[in-house]
Short mmCIF file of all heavy atoms in Angstrom, two decimals:
data_model
loop_
_atom_site.label_atom_id
_atom_site.label_comp_id
_atom_site.label_asym_id
_atom_site.label_seq_id
_atom_site.Cartn_x
_atom_site.Cartn_y
_atom_site.Cartn_z
N HIS A 804 4.92 6.40 -45.07
CA HIS A 804 3.83 5.47 -45.28
C HIS A 804 4.35 4.10 -45.71
O HIS A 804 3.58 3.29 -46.14
CB HIS A 804 2.90 6.01 -46.33
CG HIS A 804 2.01 7.11 -45.86
ND1 HIS A 804 0.71 6.90 -45.41
CD2 HIS A 804 2.26 8.44 -45.67
CE1 HIS A 804 0.21 8.07 -45.05
NE2 HIS A 804 1.11 9.02 -45.15
N GLY A 805 5.70 3.87 -45.57
CA GLY A 805 6.26 2.55 -45.88
C GLY A 805 6.36 2.29 -47.38
O GLY A 805 6.47 1.11 -47.77
N ILE A 806 6.46 3.31 -48.19
CA ILE A 806 6.57 3.15 -49.63
C ILE A 806 7.94 3.56 -50.09
O ILE A 806 8.44 4.69 -49.79
CB ILE A 806 5.51 3.92 -50.40
CG1 ILE A 806 4.10 3.49 -49.99
CG2 ILE A 806 5.68 3.83 -51.91
CD1 ILE A 806 3.02 4.38 -50.53
N TYR A 807 8.62 2.72 -50.84
CA TYR A 807 10.01 2.96 -51.30
C TYR A 807 10.00 2.82 -52.85
O TYR A 807 9.56 1.80 -53.37
CB TYR A 807 10.97 1.99 -50.63
CG TYR A 807 10.94 2.15 -49.13
CD1 TYR A 807 9.99 1.48 -48.36
CD2 TYR A 807 11.76 3.03 -48.49
CE1 TYR A 807 9.88 1.61 -47.01
CE2 TYR A 807 11.71 3.24 -47.13
CZ TYR A 807 10.74 2.52 -46.40
OH TYR A 807 10.65 2.73 -45.02
N HIS A 808 10.50 3.83 -53.49
CA HIS A 808 10.38 3.89 -54.96
C HIS A 808 11.26 2.91 -55.71
O HIS A 808 10.87 2.27 -56.60
CB HIS A 808 10.66 5.31 -55.49
CG HIS A 808 10.20 5.58 -56.85
ND1 HIS A 808 11.08 5.33 -57.93
CD2 HIS A 808 9.10 6.04 -57.40
CE1 HIS A 808 10.49 5.60 -59.06
NE2 HIS A 808 9.28 6.06 -58.78
N ARG A 809 12.54 2.91 -55.36
CA ARG A 809 13.56 1.97 -55.91
C ARG A 809 13.96 2.26 -57.38
O ARG A 809 14.77 1.49 -57.92
CB ARG A 809 13.15 0.52 -55.75
CG ARG A 809 12.92 0.12 -54.31
CD ARG A 809 13.00 -1.42 -54.19
NE ARG A 809 11.89 -2.10 -54.80
CZ ARG A 809 11.69 -3.42 -54.73
NH1 ARG A 809 12.54 -4.16 -54.01
NH2 ARG A 809 10.68 -4.00 -55.34
N ASP A 810 13.36 3.25 -58.01
CA ASP A 810 13.73 3.51 -59.41
C ASP A 810 13.68 5.03 -59.62
O ASP A 810 13.22 5.51 -60.68
CB ASP A 810 12.75 2.84 -60.33
CG ASP A 810 13.19 2.78 -61.77
OD1 ASP A 810 14.40 2.95 -62.00
OD2 ASP A 810 12.38 2.51 -62.65
N LEU A 811 14.34 5.77 -58.68
CA LEU A 811 14.27 7.23 -58.78
C LEU A 811 15.41 7.72 -59.68
O LEU A 811 16.59 7.56 -59.41
CB LEU A 811 14.46 7.81 -57.38
CG LEU A 811 14.08 9.27 -57.16
CD1 LEU A 811 12.58 9.45 -57.30
CD2 LEU A 811 14.55 9.78 -55.85
N MET A 812 15.01 8.34 -60.83
CA MET A 812 15.98 8.91 -61.80
C MET A 812 15.27 9.98 -62.60
O MET A 812 14.03 10.09 -62.51
CB MET A 812 16.50 7.76 -62.70
CG MET A 812 15.43 7.03 -63.43
SD MET A 812 16.18 5.71 -64.47
CE MET A 812 14.72 4.81 -64.97
N PRO A 813 16.02 10.84 -63.24
CA PRO A 813 15.39 11.99 -63.94
C PRO A 813 14.28 11.58 -64.89
O PRO A 813 13.29 12.27 -65.03
CB PRO A 813 16.55 12.62 -64.73
CG PRO A 813 17.78 12.31 -63.88
CD PRO A 813 17.52 10.91 -63.33
N GLN A 814 14.40 10.42 -65.55
CA GLN A 814 13.42 9.98 -66.50
C GLN A 814 12.04 9.71 -65.82
O GLN A 814 11.00 9.67 -66.46
CB GLN A 814 13.86 8.71 -67.25
CG GLN A 814 15.02 8.97 -68.17
CD GLN A 814 16.32 8.71 -67.48
OE1 GLN A 814 16.45 8.90 -66.25
NE2 GLN A 814 17.35 8.36 -68.22
N ASN A 815 12.06 9.45 -64.50
CA ASN A 815 10.85 9.17 -63.75
C ASN A 815 10.37 10.37 -62.96
O ASN A 815 9.52 10.21 -62.07
CB ASN A 815 11.06 7.95 -62.84
CG ASN A 815 11.18 6.69 -63.63
OD1 ASN A 815 10.68 6.60 -64.76
ND2 ASN A 815 11.79 5.67 -63.09
N ILE A 816 10.91 11.55 -63.24
CA ILE A 816 10.46 12.77 -62.59
C ILE A 816 9.84 13.64 -63.67
O ILE A 816 10.51 14.00 -64.65
CB ILE A 816 11.65 13.53 -61.94
CG1 ILE A 816 12.42 12.63 -61.00
CG2 ILE A 816 11.17 14.79 -61.23
CD1 ILE A 816 11.60 12.13 -59.79
N LEU A 817 8.57 13.95 -63.49
CA LEU A 817 7.85 14.77 -64.49
C LEU A 817 7.53 16.13 -63.92
O LEU A 817 7.49 16.35 -62.71
CB LEU A 817 6.55 14.08 -64.89
CG LEU A 817 6.68 12.62 -65.37
CD1 LEU A 817 5.30 12.09 -65.76
CD2 LEU A 817 7.62 12.58 -66.59
N LEU A 818 7.35 17.08 -64.86
CA LEU A 818 7.02 18.45 -64.45
C LEU A 818 5.62 18.80 -65.00
O LEU A 818 5.26 18.34 -66.07
CB LEU A 818 8.02 19.47 -64.99
CG LEU A 818 9.54 19.17 -64.69
CD1 LEU A 818 10.38 20.25 -65.37
CD2 LEU A 818 9.75 19.13 -63.19
N THR A 819 4.87 19.61 -64.28
CA THR A 819 3.65 20.12 -64.80
C THR A 819 3.90 21.16 -65.87
O THR A 819 5.01 21.63 -66.08
CB THR A 819 2.81 20.76 -63.67
OG1 THR A 819 3.56 21.80 -63.07
CG2 THR A 819 2.39 19.73 -62.63
N ASP A 820 2.85 21.57 -66.59
CA ASP A 820 2.98 22.51 -67.68
C ASP A 820 3.67 23.79 -67.25
O ASP A 820 4.39 24.44 -68.00
CB ASP A 820 1.65 22.78 -68.34
CG ASP A 820 1.13 21.64 -69.17
OD1 ASP A 820 1.97 20.79 -69.54
OD2 ASP A 820 -0.11 21.56 -69.37
N SER A 821 3.43 24.22 -66.02
CA SER A 821 4.02 25.46 -65.53
C SER A 821 5.47 25.29 -65.14
O SER A 821 6.16 26.26 -64.86
CB SER A 821 3.24 25.97 -64.27
OG SER A 821 3.41 24.99 -63.24
N ARG A 822 5.94 24.05 -65.13
CA ARG A 822 7.32 23.70 -64.77
C ARG A 822 7.62 24.14 -63.31
O ARG A 822 8.78 24.31 -62.90
CB ARG A 822 8.35 24.28 -65.71
CG ARG A 822 8.15 23.79 -67.13
CD ARG A 822 9.23 24.23 -68.08
NE ARG A 822 10.44 23.44 -67.89
CZ ARG A 822 10.65 22.23 -68.44
NH1 ARG A 822 9.70 21.62 -69.14
NH2 ARG A 822 11.81 21.61 -68.29
N SER A 823 6.63 24.31 -62.53
CA SER A 823 6.79 24.77 -61.14
C SER A 823 6.54 23.62 -60.18
O SER A 823 6.88 23.70 -58.99
CB SER A 823 5.85 25.92 -60.79
OG SER A 823 4.52 25.52 -60.95
N ARG A 824 5.92 22.57 -60.62
CA ARG A 824 5.52 21.43 -59.74
C ARG A 824 6.18 20.13 -60.26
O ARG A 824 6.14 19.86 -61.44
CB ARG A 824 4.02 21.29 -59.75
CG ARG A 824 3.50 20.39 -58.69
CD ARG A 824 2.01 20.58 -58.42
NE ARG A 824 1.36 19.32 -58.04
CZ ARG A 824 0.56 18.60 -58.75
NH1 ARG A 824 0.22 19.05 -59.96
NH2 ARG A 824 0.09 17.49 -58.33
N THR A 825 6.76 19.40 -59.39
CA THR A 825 7.47 18.18 -59.70
C THR A 825 6.67 16.97 -59.25
O THR A 825 6.15 16.89 -58.15
CB THR A 825 8.86 18.19 -58.99
OG1 THR A 825 9.51 19.42 -59.21
CG2 THR A 825 9.73 17.06 -59.52
N LEU A 826 6.64 15.93 -60.09
CA LEU A 826 5.89 14.73 -59.82
C LEU A 826 6.75 13.51 -59.95
O LEU A 826 7.54 13.35 -60.97
CB LEU A 826 4.70 14.60 -60.77
CG LEU A 826 3.66 15.73 -60.78
CD1 LEU A 826 2.66 15.53 -61.93
CD2 LEU A 826 2.95 15.83 -59.46
N ILE A 827 6.70 12.56 -59.05
CA ILE A 827 7.33 11.32 -59.11
C ILE A 827 6.41 10.35 -59.77
O ILE A 827 5.20 10.26 -59.41
CB ILE A 827 7.78 10.77 -57.74
CG1 ILE A 827 8.76 11.76 -57.06
CG2 ILE A 827 8.43 9.38 -57.92
CD1 ILE A 827 9.14 11.30 -55.66
N THR A 828 6.87 9.62 -60.78
CA THR A 828 6.04 8.63 -61.48
C THR A 828 6.75 7.33 -61.61
O THR A 828 7.83 7.13 -61.05
CB THR A 828 5.59 9.20 -62.84
OG1 THR A 828 4.62 8.34 -63.41
CG2 THR A 828 6.79 9.27 -63.80
N ASP A 829 6.14 6.39 -62.34
CA ASP A 829 6.69 5.05 -62.56
C ASP A 829 7.01 4.29 -61.30
O ASP A 829 8.11 4.17 -60.87
CB ASP A 829 7.92 5.11 -63.46
CG ASP A 829 8.17 3.75 -64.11
OD1 ASP A 829 7.56 2.74 -63.71
OD2 ASP A 829 8.98 3.68 -65.08
N PHE A 830 5.93 3.75 -60.68
CA PHE A 830 6.09 3.01 -59.46
C PHE A 830 6.10 1.48 -59.69
O PHE A 830 5.71 0.69 -58.82
CB PHE A 830 4.93 3.35 -58.47
CG PHE A 830 5.10 4.67 -57.72
CD1 PHE A 830 5.05 5.85 -58.43
CD2 PHE A 830 5.44 4.68 -56.39
CE1 PHE A 830 5.21 7.06 -57.77
CE2 PHE A 830 5.65 5.88 -55.77
CZ PHE A 830 5.49 7.06 -56.40
N GLY A 831 6.57 1.10 -60.90
CA GLY A 831 6.60 -0.34 -61.24
C GLY A 831 7.58 -1.09 -60.45
O GLY A 831 7.49 -2.33 -60.33
N HIS A 832 8.63 -0.44 -59.83
CA HIS A 832 9.61 -1.12 -59.01
C HIS A 832 9.33 -0.88 -57.52
O HIS A 832 10.10 -1.33 -56.68
CB HIS A 832 10.99 -0.65 -59.32
CG HIS A 832 11.53 -1.10 -60.65
ND1 HIS A 832 11.90 -2.38 -60.96
CD2 HIS A 832 11.70 -0.41 -61.84
CE1 HIS A 832 12.29 -2.47 -62.20
NE2 HIS A 832 12.19 -1.29 -62.75
N ALA A 833 8.29 -0.10 -57.19
CA ALA A 833 8.11 0.31 -55.81
C ALA A 833 7.77 -0.83 -54.87
O ALA A 833 7.21 -1.83 -55.29
CB ALA A 833 6.96 1.39 -55.74
N TYR A 834 8.16 -0.67 -53.62
CA TYR A 834 7.95 -1.65 -52.57
C TYR A 834 7.10 -0.96 -51.52
O TYR A 834 7.49 0.09 -51.00
CB TYR A 834 9.23 -2.10 -51.98
CG TYR A 834 9.17 -3.29 -51.09
CD1 TYR A 834 9.83 -4.47 -51.39
CD2 TYR A 834 8.49 -3.27 -49.90
CE1 TYR A 834 9.81 -5.58 -50.58
CE2 TYR A 834 8.44 -4.37 -49.07
CZ TYR A 834 9.07 -5.53 -49.40
OH TYR A 834 9.04 -6.60 -48.54
N HIS A 835 5.94 -1.55 -51.15
CA HIS A 835 5.10 -1.02 -50.11
C HIS A 835 5.30 -1.85 -48.88
O HIS A 835 4.71 -2.95 -48.82
CB HIS A 835 3.63 -0.96 -50.58
CG HIS A 835 2.78 -0.07 -49.71
ND1 HIS A 835 1.56 0.41 -50.13
CD2 HIS A 835 2.95 0.47 -48.51
CE1 HIS A 835 1.00 1.21 -49.24
NE2 HIS A 835 1.84 1.21 -48.23
N LEU A 836 6.05 -1.41 -47.93
CA LEU A 836 6.39 -2.19 -46.72
C LEU A 836 5.07 -2.50 -45.97
O LEU A 836 4.29 -1.59 -45.72
CB LEU A 836 7.33 -1.40 -45.87
CG LEU A 836 8.11 -2.11 -44.79
CD1 LEU A 836 9.08 -3.12 -45.41
CD2 LEU A 836 8.92 -1.13 -43.93
N GLY A 837 4.92 -3.71 -45.58
CA GLY A 837 3.73 -4.06 -44.78
C GLY A 837 2.51 -4.37 -45.58
O GLY A 837 1.47 -4.72 -45.03
N ARG A 838 2.60 -4.18 -46.90
CA ARG A 838 1.41 -4.48 -47.77
C ARG A 838 1.94 -5.49 -48.82
O ARG A 838 2.34 -5.15 -49.90
CB ARG A 838 0.90 -3.23 -48.45
CG ARG A 838 0.32 -2.22 -47.45
CD ARG A 838 -0.02 -0.92 -48.10
NE ARG A 838 -1.12 -1.03 -49.07
CZ ARG A 838 -2.40 -0.88 -48.76
NH1 ARG A 838 -2.74 -0.59 -47.50
NH2 ARG A 838 -3.33 -0.97 -49.69
N PRO A 839 1.90 -6.77 -48.53
CA PRO A 839 2.49 -7.82 -49.35
C PRO A 839 1.94 -7.73 -50.80
O PRO A 839 0.75 -7.51 -51.00
CB PRO A 839 2.06 -9.12 -48.70
CG PRO A 839 1.83 -8.72 -47.26
CD PRO A 839 1.32 -7.36 -47.31
#
C-alpha cells in the first residue's frame, strides 16, 4: 500500500496480552508513498 515504517525496532513492536499476536506501532517516522 506504499507505506514504509522507517523506524522498525523491538521497542516499536508490541504484543497482545496472549503474547501470540504481534503489532507494529509508532508510525511517527512512516512515509506513505503517493500521499504527500
